[in-house]
Amino acid sequence: MDLHAQLTQVVGPGELDMWDGDAGGNLPRVAPNNIDEAVECLRLAHSNGLAVIPEGLGSRRTWTHQPKRADFVLSTRNMRGVLSYEPGDGTLSALAGTTCAELEQCVALGGHRLTPDLPRPQAGTIGGAVASGHSGFDRLRVGPLRHHILGVRALLGDGTLAKSGGQLVKNVTGYDMHRLYCGSFGSLCLLVEINLRLFPAPEEWAAVEFHAESRAQAAQAALDLEEMRLPLDAVLIQSPTDTSVRWTVLAFLSGRRAVIDVECDRVHSSLSDSNVKLEMQRGTEARSKREQCRDLEWDEQAGWAHLRLGVHPTGLPALLEQLDTCFAGSVAQFSIQPLIAEVQVRFEEPLTDTQAVAVHDRLLASGLNFHWRAAPDSLRSQGDIFGSAPTGIALMQRLQSTLDPQSVFARGRYLTGL
Amino acid sequence: MDAALIAALRNVLGEAGLVGSGSRLVPYESDGLAMLRHTPEMVLLPRTTAEAAHSMRLLAEAGVPVVGRGAGTGLSGGATPVEGGVVISLARMRDVLEVDPAGRLARVQAGVVNADLTRAAAPHGLFYAPDPSSQMACTIGGNVAENSGGPHCFMHGSTTRHILGLVIVCADGEVLDLSEPQPDPSGYDLIGSFVGSEGTLGLVTEVTVKLTRVPPVTETLLAVFPGLDGACDSVSDMIAARLEPSALEILDRLTIQAVEASVFAAGYPKTAEAVLLVELEGSALEVDVTSKDVLAILEQRGAIELRKARDPLERRKLWAGRKGAFGAMGRIAPDLYVADAVVPRTKLRRMVARTAEICRERNLRLATVFHAGDGNLHPNICYDRRDLDEVKRVLEAGRMILQECIAAGGSLTGEHGVGLEKLEGMDMLFKQADLATMCRMRDAWDPERRMNPGKLLPVRACREVRTNPLPGVEARDAAAGAES
Ligand SMILES: Cc1cc2nc3c(=O)[nH]c(=O)nc-3n(C[C@H](O)[C@H](O)[C@H](O)COP(=O)(O)OP(=O)(O)OC[C@H]3O[C@@H](n4cnc5c(N)ncnc54)[C@H](O)[C@@H]3O)c2cc1C
């Protein structure tokens, strides 16, 4: 029986289509309806020496390399639903194929907000978010996503279903395997269930916007806001656009209404002291401004390349210094979150292969920590879109080969061949 | 141990870096779980990562098991060299290497005592947030190994959220320098999966930690209750109302009495059945707004007295009582069995009551003091180790409590670790496949399993994992599988 027929036997004909993605053209994509079917698909791969690309909705397809070899795509898109939401405990358990938007809606009913607060939450699954270690727009407030994963259930390459952690906000029983899986881009396991810690939904939102003459001035303004110890969710600096020559500073606040009222007044008087013209929004307007900025972070217009740079905040000045050199000659837009020292770079025009390679080489030489998120195909198939190899690569390889000795999860998609 | 190996180790560490025999080995026989003891063959005291790495290479060549040790305040037998071999103590690695106020981080040797780190950060308006009650003695290396918590971890998170970098000496002596702080790990999260591994993956010699800004305002409230139910329900209500205090700690009557009779006397009313300590941090306004909501809940749940600490001195006193509680209990019983279960915060009242019942049924005295905000229970059972029947009843009660917590959706340990003590319980919570997967991770770090053998994972022989799942757990998992 050919692979197509075997996969159809497991999931039924409706759940198999063709995926015109990587690794030399079309691949069958199978979307099991439950964990048992996913186990069967993996066992099939395991016993036939096949290589599998795990996927959610495929929204981050360009965030990894093209694999060395792949035989089929295993999508969690049909494994969706909330398994339990405990408003009284502030925890959530969901199948990995559930979209972040569905989860946001679910937990809003109990007065919570979902972390990670990701761009285009309807386009990605929670499993994909965790597998790519994608922290959200609320990172300044709550820290990275990996801190809020309470536990997972995952399928290993041989179809073994293994749990790690639980659904408790505090728990040190056993190794935190979920920390290893978070950000492993499907190179170790297929995540099938995710348990998360939730945060209170704020009573009120505020958005503050003003302009600065230079990047340095904008960065200083952000630091000044931090010094004021405001209830900040995010502070963003945007590079000048076609219509403006100035840098834009955006600060998003949220919290108890009485607190936001007073804090907005404080921001207002502090900035008007320094003669800065300020726009301030509250409530739903502030929220939609925030969502707009959040979604910009991951605007996948065709042909646009997009990359993320990150350093520990101590390295921010050096990072800002290096931007001009690294991106000289390309039309790049920068969204900088200075308080978490993260820079999103979007190219306003498609990069030619030569331009992409030139930027890539300069980034490598600069020693910056970077990840191409919508990488040109030339880089995805040759370079290392995850930047320089980190310390501990030999250990990472051992971890991969002990957890997936038969290379069921397609190799070469993650950094340095993992 | 082989004379040539001893000589080689002496060469690396000097005479003062070796404890080889006699009564000087006794303190290394156990940690705070003194009922389980084993004498190590030798204790090594390196001063630097290089010395530790060199020693580890020699031990690897000789195939000797290695147990890392901080201050030995662990409560699960983690630092007990149950399979013999060598203990490597970090007692001579106590330097704060760097405090970087601008980067809000510090780099320390792993033997630095938790409280000393906060002391070093204080002049910069910063502190190290994880604050185990043992913070005056326990080390940052031990905290990393256990992923330790503490009262203020309710708001700030356990140790893992504060670790930016590690230097690890691996089982074969290789030094893995992961000390450069990165916002996101590049590659697999080695640091995140190492924290909480209880010394079974490698020896930590240096730690880079995140420092937190001292909040502008801190308010400490003491609420006195006529029973534990009201205190527990107050906490569940606060969580359900999504309030965000920084600490929520409960002490019961017996604990209060022990504290008040000790040097840690905090002024808790001696006749109270329970007290709840609530701490709030933030801007003056944030604290004020939350405080009003908290007070309303406390009143509604029947608090008979509410007291706000008037000044930092009173605040410190209230906390000294809480943090000294374990020490104070030495007055009420010769021995104490400290359990460390964790349950969903919606189940606090039921589980606390059930814990008391289990002890009552076995004629055991129970003192309870716990991190209520995190659902992390610490039923402390008083006993006398010379009374063998009592010891039997204590162990039985401990097992029952854990079983009931697991059945209520809880877990074996919230912060003290599995160690030796809860090894048997692992198969109540995990299936064979779960444990075998953890073994695979361990094998990637330490294929010979020489690092702290006999801890955390119930592994007897090479690949044999003992499992005997509770019928309830099996049934629940089957149901979950069917649902999905
Ligand atoms: C009175 C009292 C109160 C306590 N309160 C709390 C509390 O509030 N919260 C809490 O979480 N815990 C608490 N504990 C438990 C204990 O203090 C913590 O687990 C602490 O982190 C242990 O640190 P230590 O330096 O004493 O480590 P040790 O007891 O020496 O070792 C603990 C474990 O870590 C390993 N280890 C130690 N150092 C290293 C290293 N450098 N590299 C690798 N492995 C290492 C050991 O092998 C062992 O498995 C309390 C204990 C006592 C006695």
Side-chain angles (χ1 to χ4, degrees):
Chain A
M1 219 189 313
D2 71 358
L3 176 62
H4 219 276
Q6 282 177 304
L7 290 171
T8 310
Q9 210 169 49
V10 178
V11 298
E15 308 310 342
L16 191 70
D17 62 1
M18 292 309 283
W19 187 83
D20 59 345
D22 291 322
N26 288 357
L27 286 179
R29 173 173 52 192
V30 61
N33 295 296
N34 52 45
I35 296 178
D36 287 343
E37 286 183 6
V39 169
E40 283 312 308
C41 293
L42 284 168
R43 284 198 183 138
L44 183 77
H46 186 252
S47 53
N48 292 293
L50 304 177
V52 174
I53 300 179
E55 187 185 86
L57 288 175
S59 61
R60 295 180 187 80
R61 198 176 291 170
T62 56
W63 289 30
T64 51
H65 289 148
Q66 290 171 1
K68 289 180 188 145
R69 202 200 97 204
D71 296 292
F72 68 93
V73 175
L74 182 56
S75 166
T76 57
R77 67 180 61 213
N78 288 337
M79 289 157 54
R80 54 203 282 189
V82 171
L83 298 172
S84 76
Y85 165 42
E86 302 292 343
D89 198 31
T91 61
L92 171 82
S93 175
L95 287 172
T98 321
T99 65
C100 292
E102 287 170 282
L103 296 180
E104 277 175 7
Q105 276 163 18
C106 166
V107 303
L109 297 175
H112 285 105
R113 68 161 146 182
L114 181 76
T115 280
D117 177 13
L118 290 180
R120 305 193 299 135
Q122 70 290 351
T125 63
I126 188 65
V130 172
S132 56
H134 193 178
S135 298
F137 203 60
D138 53 354
R139 181 178 187 150
L140 174 63
R141 178 68 153 256
V142 302
L145 164 64
R146 61 181 183 276
H147 288 174
H148 307 300
I149 302 165
L150 305 176
V152 299
R153 293 221 286 172
L155 291 177
L156 301 186
D158 57 7
T160 300
L161 177 63
K163 109 172 169 177
S164 153
Q167 201 180 335
L168 296 153
V169 294
K170 191 176 186 189
N171 183 12
V172 297
T173 318
Y175 294 138
D176 283 353
M177 302 299 296
H178 43 286
R179 287 294 295 265
L180 193 66
Y181 302 151
C182 177
S184 66
F185 285 95
S187 65
L188 297 175
C189 65
L190 178 80
L191 293 166
V192 291
E193 239 176 72
I194 314 276
N195 302 338
L196 291 171
R197 177 191 192 122
L198 300 168
F199 289 85
E203 274 175 18
E204 177 60 319
W205 307 78
V208 178
E209 183 174 351
F210 56 94
H211 296 287
E213 296 306 323
S214 66
R215 188 173 61 207
Q217 203 183 69
Q220 186 54 49
L223 295 176
D224 293 345
L225 289 171
E226 198 201 20
E227 270 314 298
M228 292 175 70
R229 309 194 78 155
L230 301 163
L232 292 169
D233 274 352
V235 177
L236 189 68
I237 304 179
Q238 288 175 337
S239 55
T241 57
D242 296 346
T243 54
S244 155
V245 290
R246 292 182 304 164
W247 288 72
T248 306
V249 182
L250 291 133
F252 299 98
L253 289 76
S254 72
R256 304 292 297 264
R257 186 160 291 111
V259 173
I260 298 300
D261 285 346
V262 171
E263 299 295 21
C264 283
D265 288 348
R266 220 154 56 91
V267 174
H268 212 279
S269 56
S270 118
L271 289 171
S272 47
D273 282 353
S274 46
N275 281 331
V276 171
K277 199 167 152 283
L278 187 80
E279 260 182 57
M280 198 177 274
Q281 286 155 335
R282 295 285 298 267
T284 37
E285 269 184 26
R287 236 184 131 169
S288 57
K289 179 88 192 167
R290 182 182 191 281
E291 279 168 18
Q292 227 177 359
C293 288
R294 178 197 69 185
D295 290 356
L296 250 188
E297 185 201 313
W298 188 15
D299 184 347
E300 279 208 330
Q301 294 210 6
W304 283 21
H306 169 195
L307 69 86
R308 174 190 167 274
L309 300 156
V311 289
H312 186 267
T314 4
L316 181 69
L319 171 86
L320 295 182
E321 285 290 307
Q322 281 165 311
L323 288 185
D324 298 329
T325 351
C326 290
F327 299 98
S330 46
V331 189
Q333 277 284 322
F334 302 105
S335 296
I336 304 170
Q337 293 203 51
L339 305 185
I340 53 169
E342 187 172 303
V343 178
Q344 306 281 341
V345 187
R346 285 176 298 120
F347 297 93
E348 298 291 283
E349 294 166 1
L351 289 179
T352 63
D353 283 356
T354 332
Q355 279 173 326
V357 169
V359 170
H360 186 76
D361 288 347
R362 272 182 253 141
L363 285 169
L364 279 178
S366 71
L368 287 172
N369 173 338
F370 68 92
H371 174 203
W372 286 90
R373 281 184 168 171
D377 279 351
S378 53
L379 285 181
R380 289 187 61 230
S381 55
Q382 293 156 27
D384 202 324
I385 61 169
F386 295 93
S388 321
T391 320
I393 197 75
L395 175 59
M396 291 177 200
Q397 283 160 349
R398 284 203 301 279
L399 282 162
Q400 190 182 46
S401 56
T402 53
L403 285 164
D404 180 23
Q406 287 218 23
S407 305
V408 169
F409 296 108
R411 292 291 199 261
R413 294 172 59 246
Y414 197 19
L415 84 181
T416 62
L418 290 174
Chain B
M1 235 163 77
D2 179 55
L5 174 62
I6 297 173
L9 289 167
R10 183 172 290 120
N11 230 349
V12 176
L13 301 167
E15 202 57 55
L18 243 66
V19 177
S21 60
S23 59
R24 286 179 67 210
L25 287 178
V26 173
Y28 301 95
E29 285 179 352
S30 79
D31 62 2
L33 184 74
M35 62 166 87
L36 304 171
R37 314 184 79 87
H38 199 285
T39 315
E41 289 170 60
M42 180 164 279
V43 177
L44 308 183
L45 294 132
R47 282 163 301 191
T48 60
T49 298
E51 284 187 3
H54 197 159
S55 310
M56 288 276 275
R57 272 197 301 279
L58 294 169
L59 295 167
E61 279 159 22
V64 178
V66 176
V67 180
R69 183 180 175 101
T73 66
L75 291 169
S76 57
T80 304
V82 64
E83 293 191 11
V86 159
V87 166
I88 300 189
S89 162
L90 278 285
R92 292 205 299 170
M93 293 185 69
R94 298 216 155 163
D95 290 341
V96 174
L97 302 170
E98 180 192 1
V99 176
D100 171 1
R104 291 192 202 134
L105 59 83
R107 217 160 44 81
V108 300
Q109 285 190 308
V112 164
V113 169
N114 176 300
D116 290 344
L117 172 54
T118 278
R119 219 167 279 134
H124 308 284
L126 300 168
F127 71 110
Y128 177 63
D131 60 339
S133 303
S134 53
Q135 72 189 130
M136 301 307 282
C138 66
T139 65
I140 298 300
N143 296 170
V144 166
E146 300 289 11
N147 188 11
S148 297
H152 291 83
C153 292
F154 173 57
M155 170 181 259
H156 297 284
S158 295
T159 300
T160 188
R161 273 162 67 178
H162 305 269
I163 303 304
L164 300 174
L166 294 175
V167 175
I168 299 165
V169 179
C170 297
D172 58 1
E174 191 203 336
V175 177
L176 188 60
D177 187 344
L178 307 170
S179 59
E180 196 193 322
Q182 301 269 359
D184 286 312
S186 186
Y188 301 144
D189 185 2
L190 299 178
I191 294 175
S193 47
F194 184 95
V195 175
S197 60
E198 303 188 18
T200 60
L201 303 181
L203 184 77
V204 184
T205 55
E206 277 177 37
V207 188
T208 309
V209 299
K210 180 174 112 183
L211 298 175
T212 303
R213 286 196 288 179
V214 174
V217 174
T218 305
E219 184 175 291
T220 311
L221 297 166
L222 179 79
V224 181
F225 285 90
L228 274 165
D229 286 357
C232 290
D233 287 342
S234 300
V235 171
S236 296
D237 286 358
M238 287 180 217
I239 309 284
R242 301 173 303 286
L243 299 178
E244 293 182 297
S246 57
L248 287 167
E249 299 283 314
I250 293 179
L251 292 81
D252 75 349
R253 184 189 177 103
L254 196 51
T255 312
I256 295 167
Q257 288 172 347
V259 167
E260 289 306 313
S262 77
V263 292
F264 306 108
Y268 307 148
K270 285 183 204 151
T271 51
E273 286 298 323
V275 297
L276 167 61
L277 266 174
V278 184
E279 191 149 280
L280 306 164
E281 316 181 339
S283 68
L285 186 63
E286 273 170 338
V287 167
D288 190 48
V289 169
T290 312
S291 173
K292 285 194 181 105
D293 292 342
V294 166
L295 288 170
I297 289 175
L298 295 172
E299 272 165 19
Q300 204 208 333
R301 285 298 182 180
I304 45 178
E305 188 189 333
L306 291 168
R307 205 192 294 165
K308 233 180 233 186
R310 277 159 303 193
D311 51 40
L313 196 72
E314 191 176 351
R315 176 177 169 245
R316 270 202 296 277
K317 207 169 152 199
L318 287 176
W319 277 112
R322 163 61 187 93
K323 296 209 171 173
F326 286 116
M329 283 177 212
R331 306 177 66 88
I332 54 172
D335 296 291
L336 202 62
Y337 176 90
V338 183
D340 171 40
V342 47
V343 291
R345 280 102 40 108
T346 45
K347 308 270 171 65
L348 272 181
R349 173 189 179 149
R350 200 179 97 203
M351 281 319 303
V352 168
R354 186 67 195 116
T355 302
E357 237 169 66
I358 290 171
C359 290
R360 218 175 14 252
E361 283 161 11
R362 285 161 188 78
N363 197 22
L364 294 167
R365 276 208 307 163
L366 173 73
T368 282
V369 45
F370 61 106
H371 309 303
D374 287 316
N376 188 183
L377 309 181
H378 287 322
N380 303 301
I381 310 175
C382 307
Y383 72 101
D384 180 342
R385 78 178 88 165
R386 291 163 303 184
D387 181 343
L388 293 184
D389 181 60
E390 195 174 42
V391 171
K392 210 175 108 203
R393 282 180 283 131
V394 168
L395 292 175
E396 188 187 69
R399 248 192 327 271
M400 282 287 289
I401 290 170
L402 284 181
Q403 278 179 6
E404 299 238 359
C405 286
I406 290 173
S411 187
L412 285 181
T413 163
E415 56 179 21
H416 295 166
V418 175
L420 266 180
E421 187 219 358
K422 300 193 188 80
L423 218 47
E424 296 290 339
M426 286 293 272
D427 46 22
M428 290 191 224
L429 197 63
F430 292 110
K431 292 185 181 179
Q432 166 134 18
D434 309 327
L435 296 172
T437 305
M438 293 182 198
C439 282
R440 292 197 200 183
M441 176 163 102
R442 180 178 188 166
D443 287 346
W445 283 87
D446 174 20
E448 293 167 3
R449 300 189 183 174
R450 278 187 307 103
M451 293 304 300
N452 211 1
K455 311 287 169 61
L456 196 142
L457 289 172
V459 182
R460 246 195 206 129
C462 184
R463 298 214 168 255
E464 178 200 345
V465 179
R466 284 174 287 146
T467 55
N468 183 20
L470 279 182
V473 172
E474 282 277 61
R476 195 193 55 208
D477 283 352
E483 246 173 62
S484 59

